[in-house]
């Protein structure tokens, strides 16, 4: 395995920030993962795990050891008439896996097509799009404890999935490395197509097939979202805030137009609307700016630094707090 010193990471993060790692290990097998963890442990180095780098903001100098997860492989655990169970390694590219499942008639993931990054990162923020979250399919998550090297297996309940959240962003943050995901995928499932933007894109198709949904999701995403290969970004920079009903009613009394979705006893607010109303759309800092069509997306026009991106995010959050009294939480991890 290669463990190198002073490694440039600009090509390893989709914001193309010019970070450098003190040490960087590219991990392609279980043995290499153990070796890299031993290397970091014996030198008391902090660890930063990187998948596709599509949900991180990397500061100029990352002290300690960066682990680039490139574990690949897949194992079919069960093939039943109504479903399959498949274990897939953390370093596999998420979108390629979604396409491969669809081709084999394993359905459900079509709504999550074209999300950049790796399989191993998918449970961390419980990736979601067009009305579907990955947790609906996750049976277990395989991981290794960073300190002891012990292998762990977390059940769906252990993962404590929530909206763009899981135990991997709270109690287990920085404590484990995810090695694999076990998914249970239905073979005959009517696709979920009630999400408004998806419904609109499906147009006259009344009873869409999984292939219709896959095609529509890929089409909308290509039309609406800036491609990080062309305009570097990490997707939504802020999460939609979720607040209690009573607080929501007070907010609505002051701002009757607030865009929201009720979800049981809580209400989800449209972070993009809050940012736009607070004047975020035209904001920029150095080469970091708010995307003109997607107020939640911060882009690097070329040469932006982490300080510029985080400074811009902080000014946007302040503007939203001053206008609405709502704290925006940022979605990407900062290292
Ligand atoms: P990274 O950015 O490499 O890492 C993200 C976090 O996970 C970091 O804290 C990292 O340390 C940790 N991590 C990564 N791999 C492991 C591992 N094996 N073990 C332990 N920790 C690990 N997200 C959505 O939910 N829905 C969307 O629709 C969506 N659309 C996007 C569109 C664009 C254009 C972009 C750029 C991003 C989008 N995202 C979306 C965000 C992002 O793609 C996802 O969060 C994705 O799962 C991140 O994967 P990654 O491999 O790039 O993770
Ligand atoms: P969109 O479909 O107009 O959605 C914009 C925002 O409005 C999303 O955050 C979405 O919440 C919310 N929303 C819209 N209709 C909703 C409904 N009926 N019920 C609840 N919430 C609703 O525009 P978009 O930006 O192109 O996003 C499309 C999908 O891709 C969304 O699901 C979005 O989350 C996902 N996406 C995520 C990222 C990321 O980095 N996290 C980046 C790009 C796209 P939800 O987020 O809860 O869906």
């Amino acid at each position: 395995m290669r463990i190198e010193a002073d490694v440039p990471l600009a090509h390893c993060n989709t914001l193309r920030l010019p970070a450098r790692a003190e040490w960087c290990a590219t991990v392609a097998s279980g043995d290499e993962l153990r070796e890299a963890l031993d290397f970091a442990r014996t030198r008391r180095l902090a660890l930063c795990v990187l998948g596709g780098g599509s949900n991180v903001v990397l500061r100029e100098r990352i002290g300690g050891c960066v682990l680039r997860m490139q574990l690949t492989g897949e194992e079919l655990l069960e093939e039943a008439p109504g479903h399959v169970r498949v274990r897939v390694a953390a370093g596999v590219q998420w979108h390629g896996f979604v396409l491969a499942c669809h081709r084999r008639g394993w359905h459900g993931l079509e709504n999550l097509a074209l999300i950049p990054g790796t399989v191993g990162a998918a449970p961390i923020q419980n990736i979601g799009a067009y009305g579907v979250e990955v947790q609906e399919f996750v049976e277990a998550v395989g991981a290794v404890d960073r300190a002891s090297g012990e292998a762990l297996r977390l059940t769906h309940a252990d993962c404590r999935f929530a909206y763009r959240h899981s135990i991997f962003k709270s109690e287990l943050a920085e404590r484990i490395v995810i090695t694999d995901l076990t998914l249970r995928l239905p073979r005959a499932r009517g696709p979920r197509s009630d999400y408004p933007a998806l419904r609109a894109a499906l147009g006259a198709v009344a009873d869409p097939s999984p292939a219709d949904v896959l095609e529509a999701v890929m089409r909308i995403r290509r039309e609406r979202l800036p491609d990080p290969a062309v305009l570097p970004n990490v997707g939504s920079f802020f999460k939609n805030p979720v607040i209690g009903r009573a607080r929501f009613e007070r907010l609505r009394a002051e701002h009757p137009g607030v865009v929201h979705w009720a979800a049981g006893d809580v209400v989800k607010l449209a972070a993009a609307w809050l940012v736009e109303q607070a004047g975020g759309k035209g904001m920029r800092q150095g080469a970091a700016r708010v995307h003109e069509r997607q107020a939640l997306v911060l882009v690097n026009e070329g040469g932006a630094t982490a300080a510029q991106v985080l400074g811009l995010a902080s000014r946007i959050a302040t503007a939203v707090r001053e206008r609405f009294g709502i704290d925006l939480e940022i979605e990407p991890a900062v290292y």
Side-chain angles (χ1 to χ4, degrees), residues 315-328:
R315 281 169 50 219
I316 293 168
T318 301
V320 167
R321 192 179 312 113
E322 284 172 356
R323 176 91 195 267
F324 299 104
I326 298 284
D327 285 320
L328 285 183

Side-chain angles (χ1 to χ4, degrees), residues 77-239:
L77 302 175
E78 185 189 354
E79 201 166 8
H83 70 267
V84 296
R85 288 171 53 246
V86 58
R87 187 186 296 139
V88 55
V92 169
Q93 293 302 309
W94 174 257
H95 176 64
F97 176 67
V98 169
L99 293 182
C101 290
H102 174 78
R103 276 197 298 271
R104 289 176 286 194
W106 308 344
H107 295 307
L109 301 180
E110 288 82 1
N111 301 53
L112 303 177
L114 276 186
I115 297 181
T118 53
V119 164
I124 293 179
Q125 73 158 14
N126 178 22
I127 56 169
Y130 303 98
V132 170
E133 292 180 345
V134 74
Q135 61 123 339
E136 297 168 43
F137 309 96
V138 174
E139 189 175 276
V141 174
V144 169
D145 183 286
R146 295 184 189 188
S148 66
E150 185 196 345
L152 308 168
R153 186 180 149 85
L154 291 100
T155 64
H156 181 280
D158 295 334
C159 295
R160 295 206 222 125
F161 290 116
Y163 180 60
R164 301 289 187 276
H165 195 71
S166 71
I167 194 166
F168 308 111
K169 292 197 92 172
S170 50
E171 286 99 311
L172 291 185
E174 318 294 323
R175 288 185 44 197
I176 53 124
V177 178
I178 292 177
T179 51
D180 57 87
L181 213 58
T182 300
L183 299 169
R184 182 189 163 108
L185 299 169
R187 302 182 92 162
R189 156 174 149 144
R192 191 88 53 77
S193 61
D194 50 350
Y195 188 90
L198 181 54
R199 191 59 262 162
L202 286 163
V205 185
D207 187 14
S209 65
D212 292 328
V213 168
L214 180 71
E215 186 279 324
V217 166
M218 288 174 55
R219 179 159 41 89
I220 322 173
R221 291 188 76 104
R222 287 191 171 120
E223 280 167 14
R224 289 200 188 172
L225 295 168
D227 177 355
V230 179
L231 196 49
N233 72 85
V234 281
S236 302
F237 210 87
F238 300 103
K239 291 187 198 172

